[in-house]
Amino acid sequence: GHEAARHIRALAARHALGEVAIYAGTGNNGGDAWVVAEQLRRAGLTVRVAATGTPRTPDAIAAHTRATADGEFASPTGSEL
């Protein structure tokens, strides 16, 4: 998740975009999505998350808990990267 966040930050900077949409599933890949969402939020981007359900694996649950510690994410609007 951390490496993906680094690439997305670079892409957003290159295209002068400040909003990113993340799509998170309920398993471990969804956990990675929550890691990306948390890292991008901390980097100052506006992050919107569409989750397909409640995280169900221990890693995904932990990542979701960390990512939403500073508040829930709004849903994507369609205008984000």
Side-chain angles (χ1 to χ4, degrees), residues 5-65:
R6 186 178 70 76
H7 286 290
I8 294 168
R9 276 194 312 269
L11 183 63
R14 191 167 46 245
H15 295 283
L17 300 170
E19 296 185 0
V20 176
I22 303 292
Y23 296 85
T26 59
N28 287 334
N29 287 338
D32 289 337
W34 288 110
V35 169
V36 170
E38 176 190 13
Q39 294 295 309
L40 294 177
R41 178 188 264 177
R42 288 178 188 232
L45 293 170
T46 298
V47 181
R48 300 178 190 277
V49 178
T52 62
T54 303
R56 57 183 164 81
T57 66
D59 288 343
I61 292 167
H64 175 265
T65 299

